[in-house]
Amino acid sequence: MKIETLIIGAGAAGMMCAAHAGRGVLVVDHAKAPGEKIRISGGGRCNFTNLHTSPANFISQNKHFSKSALGRYTQWDFIALVDQHRIAWHEKTLGQLFCDDSAKDIIAMLRAEMDKAGAQLWLHTEVGEIGHDGTHFQVTLIRDGRHIQVETKNLVVACGGKSIPKMGATGLGYQIAAQFGVPVVTPRPGLVPLTFSDERFKPLAGVATPARVSTQGVSFDEAVLFTHRGLSGPAVLQVSSYWHESVPIQINLNPMGDLFGALQSHRQSDGRKALTTVLGLHLPARLVDFLRADLPLEGNIADQSDSKLKALCDALSAWSLMPAGSEGYRTAEVTLGGVDTDALSSKTMETKAVAGLYFIGECVDVTGWLGGYNFQWAWSSGWAAGQAIRAA
Ligand SMILES: Cc1cc2nc3c(=O)[nH]c(=O)nc-3n(C[C@H](O)[C@H](O)[C@H](O)COP(=O)(O)OP(=O)(O)OC[C@H]3O[C@@H](n4cnc5c(N)ncnc54)[C@H](O)[C@@H]3O)c2cc1C
């Protein structure tokens, strides 16, 4: 069977690419349905982009690489597509756009765009050996137990990263890269809960509080969630993508910096109240109880001098913790690292060494923050490759 373009992976990037790559496109996926991660994303409502998307929201060894694709297929282009398909959406917070109804609407939209472009989709299809004769790729596909030989001019690798193997992630993209001598930045889990060597946070499991979480000079102001195993919540997930083993994280439980003034006012108005009671007006009561083990929280608020209150606020602003690890690929929303961007054209996503070989989406060393950025990278990089293939 001879085709123009074989796309491995019917996820966000692969479907977007298929909708733009012109004639003779076959998309294959070993899963039973396309876009499974889209389906479960954003609590079933898919945070499909972010109004504030810019290259600054992405982590990569080359911070300039994402500029071209993000600049040529923007969040506004994707919003226009969503509007064209009459999918209702809303901004939740921090520029994050979600479907009003269901993430399935985004999958249906991409399927419709693929159909319009005449792209074929084969599900339940495994990828076997891949050869290359200098101009074309020879790929063995295994479908219904049958081995099918496909010859294709373009091979687009869109099979994502290693995150959530249960959802079909295999890391095949890195193997294909290795086969063709394309360098890979070591993959690691990102947007992932952090764990500790003991169960210290077990009594706090389920407690959430706004905080500023920092590591290695990067900070995020969002919620922290305590879990049985450690820390989660958006602020911790964001920081996890920058965190490395043996490096502490700092939690500022006073992110607005207004606690000292508030405690001074309480001393005036509620002097006879216990310090813990007053603190409980600003922090979750279970967290205040937990902090008693390490901080001097005895006595009434009236008994606290300015210097004592100041010392307390300083301590709450600089809680330093040393995570032991992360929950790993089992729960990581993304995979950091991936195909080294030095090996790719930032305009087309084609490898510089092998004509016709493209890598798009999460398998590339471009990883977004939490908040719709990762889908925007999938749309932008998929579009960039699709355009280039159609134009060639
Ligand atoms: C729980 C969860 C929630 C998320 N929520 C959001 C969100 O709301 N907003 C956001 O921007 N990002 C979100 N993300 C991240 C986002 O899903 C990914 O960044 C995005 O899906 C990457 O797109 P992709 O096309 O590169 O890879 P994927 O969407 O992972 O698609 C890869 C496809 O390749 C297929 N495949 C893999 N290996 C093989 C193989 N060996 N043979 C054949 N097919 C194969 C897979 O079945 C899959 O269909 C979330 C991730 C998770 C896990």
Side-chain angles (χ1 to χ4, degrees):
M1 175 179 167
K2 289 192 178 178
I3 58 172
E4 283 292 305
T5 303
L6 178 66
I7 301 176
I8 302 176
M15 287 198 280
M16 189 65 173
C17 183
H20 291 276
R23 290 164 177 266
V25 174
L26 171 64
V27 187
V28 295
D29 201 301
H30 64 168
K32 64 179 191 308
E36 281 291 88
K37 279 196 182 163
I38 301 176
R39 184 177 59 78
I40 60 156
S41 68
R45 290 225 162 91
C46 186
N47 177 194
F48 56 79
T49 192
N50 193 296
L51 292 177
H52 310 305
T53 304
S54 86
N57 309 114
F58 294 84
I59 302 164
S60 170
Q61 279 197 351
N62 176 359
K63 63 182 190 319
H64 302 293
F65 181 82
S66 62
K67 282 182 184 167
S68 173
L70 291 173
R72 287 186 308 131
Y73 190 88
T74 67
Q75 59 272 42
W76 311 110
D77 292 314
F78 194 76
I79 293 166
L81 181 66
V82 169
D83 286 343
Q84 203 183 310
H85 284 258
R86 298 179 187 284
I87 298 171
W89 53 268
H90 60 278
E91 179 185 352
K92 200 167 173 187
T93 172
L94 303 170
Q96 301 168 6
L97 304 192
F98 287 76
C99 298
D100 281 1
D101 293 330
S102 166
K104 289 180 190 163
D105 294 342
I106 299 290
I107 302 172
M109 176 188 84
L110 293 166
R111 287 289 292 114
E113 290 291 313
M114 280 173 63
D115 285 349
K116 202 163 81 186
Q120 278 194 75
L121 172 63
W122 289 3
L123 297 168
H124 293 295
T125 303
E126 302 286 339
V127 177
E129 285 199 5
I130 301 177
H132 187 238
D133 62 10
T135 58
H136 288 77
F137 298 88
Q138 292 75 36
V139 183
T140 306
L141 298 176
I142 303 128
R143 196 182 185 210
D144 297 331
R146 284 194 309 132
H147 284 56
I148 303 162
Q149 294 298 328
V150 171
E151 183 166 274
T152 179
K153 192 170 144 214
N154 303 301
L155 180 64
V156 181
V157 183
C159 49
K162 291 185 169 185
S163 301
I164 322 232
K166 261 191 181 170
M167 299 282 314
T170 58
L172 174 67
Y174 313 127
Q175 290 165 34
I176 299 174
Q179 179 185 337
F180 287 96
V182 175
V184 170
V185 177
T186 308
R188 60 190 178 88
L191 300 180
V192 62
L194 296 175
T195 55
F196 288 77
S197 52
D198 51 27
E199 296 193 327
R200 73 186 83 170
F201 294 122
K202 207 171 170 186
L204 289 179
V207 171
T209 189
R212 176 173 307 141
V213 185
S214 316
T215 196
Q216 320 221 71
V218 183
S219 298
F220 290 91
D221 278 36
E222 282 186 72
V224 167
L225 172 70
F226 295 90
T227 71
H228 281 91
R229 300 188 59 198
L231 296 171
S232 186
V236 171
L237 297 182
Q238 299 278 32
V239 151
S240 74
S241 295
Y242 291 89
W243 177 78
H244 287 273
E245 271 182 30
S246 311
V247 173
I249 62 167
Q250 283 76 38
I251 301 187
N252 179 350
L253 293 169
N254 177 22
M256 307 298 282
D258 54 359
L259 190 58
F260 180 60
L263 292 179
Q264 281 182 313
S265 312
H266 286 299
R267 195 173 50 191
Q268 294 284 332
S269 54
D270 312 307
R272 284 160 64 184
K273 283 195 177 157
L275 175 59
T276 49
T277 307
V278 172
L279 263 185
L281 301 171
H282 298 274
L283 293 172
R286 272 164 69 197
L287 176 58
V288 173
D289 203 38
F290 178 86
L291 291 169
R292 287 171 77 154
D294 290 321
L295 297 177
L297 300 181
E298 305 311 319
N300 291 341
I301 181 85
D303 305 332
Q304 316 296 322
S305 63
D306 269 359
S307 63
K308 270 189 181 172
L309 289 182
K310 183 85 180 56
L312 172 61
C313 292
D314 287 348
L316 291 172
S317 304
W319 192 12
S320 188
L321 293 164
M322 180 69 85
S326 79
E327 288 190 2
Y329 291 119
R330 189 179 60 81
T331 60
E333 277 198 19
V334 287
T335 304
L336 292 150
V339 170
D340 193 329
T341 56
D342 279 354
L344 304 178
S345 154
S346 62
K347 194 171 172 222
T348 65
M349 305 294 137
E350 188 177 20
T351 54
K352 292 173 185 165
V354 185
L357 178 61
Y358 297 76
F359 289 88
I360 57 174
E362 194 176 321
C363 66
V364 177
D365 174 33
V366 174
T367 306
W369 291 357
L370 188 77
Y373 302 102
N374 284 296
F375 279 136
Q376 186 58 46
W377 172 246
W379 317 136
S380 297
S381 60
W383 179 91
Q387 286 290 312
I389 290 168
R390 190 165 59 182

